[in-house]
Amino acid sequence: MSYLLEPLDKGKLTLKNRLVMPPMATSKSEKDGRIGKDILDYYDEKSQGGYISLVIIEHSFITQQGKASEGQLSVADDSIVEDLKKLSNIIHKNGSKTVMQINHAGSAASLAVTGHEPVGPCAIANPRIGNVPKELTKKEIKDIIGEFKDAALRVKKAGFDGVEIHSAHGYLLNQFFSPLTNKRTDEYGGDVLGRIKIHLEVIKAVRDAVGDDFPILLRLGASDYMEGGSTIEDSKIAALEFEKAGVTILDISGGFCGFIVAGLTDQGYFSSLTESIKKVVSIPVILTGGITDVNAAEKLLSEGKADLIGVGRAIYKDSKWAENAIKSLN
């Protein structure tokens, strides 16, 4: 049997194979981030046939202040739950499981989009965008933790199979994790354990809201690939703490470098990160990064680089990619 076709049956989230569609922003939402026909049609098309075991819905803002861009999906208020049910129902009908990614953009947000001043761990320019945010107070941090909690509960009420907390690609939680943007001198800064204090509090709040059996994924920007930025050594420490805190699956990507790294073009170019993290945790790890060939996916799994393979752009460009890949292995 192929590695990609092998079921994942340990932990809270059981999957029929190892193929994941990772979160990719589509900017297809309606006004105010609501679900409309365009979003429903898109995910219906991508999940046809149930060849993808897990579809992770694109990052969705937990509060207006944390909205990253126009056309981004919302999970910011209770009125959206009924619409979100339509989305989870379509994917389930097609035979796949689905998780929703929730996010706060922090200093990657803009006044023009949100109507609010951007915020971050410190008043330090965002390395990707240049925005200088307002430094969050401890009370404001607690408020954001509460917004993650409320958003996660909405995801559960909408019938999804789990929720993914976004701490990659230079968004708010990643800004706390990275030494480039977190120079705080209180308990939310300093060493790695200080910089992930907000993550651990978000995980606990989410777990309290959704209960013990609901899967919680966390997408970690495991290296900034920038001088003075986060490193894989930081991420190994963080990953172990996230597992202890109750994270079900770790989804590994880049930090302030985003989802691509200059000079890295191999299929599965984040595999050095996932391989290192797999050595310190026992929970499943998702690898994404330029994987377009099913044989490359097989090889990465066979070499123990990851437990699950995320294929993003190839599926974005070709809705039949998953069907053709799975059938080629049968």
Side-chain angles (χ1 to χ4, degrees):
M1 188 176 188
S2 91
Y3 291 91
L4 198 65
L5 297 181
E6 191 179 331
L8 183 81
D9 56 9
K10 65 175 182 177
K12 294 182 171 71
L13 188 63
T14 57
L15 300 171
K16 62 185 172 187
N17 65 39
R18 302 303 177 102
L19 179 60
V20 176
M21 177 175 156
M24 293 176 284
T26 63
S27 299
K28 290 179 181 290
S29 80
E30 305 280 292
K31 189 176 185 302
D32 301 326
R34 302 196 79 84
I35 296 279
K37 185 176 184 299
D38 285 352
I39 282 275
L40 295 175
D41 288 350
Y42 170 82
Y43 283 102
D44 186 18
E45 180 178 310
K46 297 302 177 192
S47 60
Q48 283 288 329
Y51 297 99
I52 303 166
S53 68
L54 178 64
V55 176
I56 305 179
I57 305 300
E58 61 203 82
H59 73 155
S60 306
F61 62 90
I62 61 170
T63 178
Q64 179 67 22
Q65 182 193 52
K67 184 177 179 179
S69 60
E70 295 293 353
Q72 186 185 9
L73 273 178
S74 171
V75 66
D77 69 85
D78 291 340
S79 69
I80 206 114
V81 170
E82 289 306 311
D83 285 350
L84 290 174
K85 281 181 183 173
K86 297 175 189 172
L87 182 54
S88 65
N89 286 341
I90 276 179
I91 295 169
H92 287 150
K93 174 178 64 69
N94 287 339
S96 297
K97 289 190 175 178
T98 182
V99 161
M100 193 158 192
Q101 188 186 68
I102 59 176
N103 191 26
H104 190 302
S107 64
S110 70
L111 179 66
V113 169
T114 68
H116 297 270
E117 183 182 6
V119 295
C122 296
I124 293 173
N126 183 299
R128 294 187 79 186
I129 302 171
N131 280 352
V132 179
K134 182 181 84 67
E135 181 171 318
L136 286 161
T137 65
K138 289 185 191 178
K139 182 192 180 298
E140 289 167 334
I141 289 171
K142 299 295 184 193
D143 290 344
I144 287 171
I145 291 165
E147 287 162 346
F148 271 104
K149 176 179 182 174
D150 293 343
L153 186 55
R154 291 180 194 115
V155 169
K156 183 179 182 183
K157 286 179 176 176
F160 287 85
D161 300 290
V163 63
E164 179 169 272
I165 299 162
H166 199 356
S167 178
H169 306 163
Y171 292 117
L172 181 69
L173 293 182
N174 202 197
Q175 292 157 25
F176 271 89
F177 180 62
S178 175
L180 292 171
T181 43
N182 187 349
K183 309 287 188 188
R184 293 179 75 101
T185 55
D186 64 6
E187 64 267 38
Y188 290 100
D191 64 9
V192 180
L193 295 178
R195 300 197 312 270
I196 63 168
K197 180 174 170 59
I198 186 172
H199 298 71
L200 298 176
E201 291 180 355
V202 167
I203 294 162
K204 183 181 186 305
V206 167
R207 180 58 73 206
D208 288 347
V210 300
D212 289 341
D213 295 328
F214 195 67
I216 298 174
L217 289 71
L218 188 140
R219 189 165 224 198
L220 178 62
S223 176
D224 287 327
Y225 291 96
M226 294 178 184
E227 188 175 345
S230 61
T231 66
I232 186 57
E233 294 307 315
D234 295 332
S235 290
K236 284 158 68 175
I237 294 167
L240 191 55
E241 294 304 314
F242 296 155
E243 179 179 22
K244 287 182 198 168
V247 166
T248 310
I249 294 176
L250 281 166
D251 182 5
I252 302 304
S253 190
F256 273 108
C257 61
F259 52 80
I260 55 174
V261 184
L264 294 187
T265 55
D266 289 349
Q267 298 215 17
Y269 47 72
F270 287 126
S271 63
S272 64
L273 302 179
T274 55
E275 185 176 28
S276 294
I277 286 169
K278 264 183 65 61
K279 288 174 181 170
V280 298
V281 298
S282 59
I283 54 176
V285 176
I286 303 173
L287 166 63
T288 58
I291 301 165
T292 61
D293 179 74
V294 66
N295 295 315
E298 281 283 294
K299 186 169 186 286
L300 289 160
L301 288 170
S302 73
E303 292 172 348
K305 306 283 191 188
D307 302 287
L308 295 154
I309 296 290
V311 176
R313 303 293 143 183
I315 289 173
Y316 184 81
K317 291 175 182 173
D318 177 10
S319 296
K320 291 286 187 183
W321 190 95
E323 179 179 355
N324 293 334
I326 298 298
K327 285 183 174 176
S328 76
L329 297 171
N330 276 317

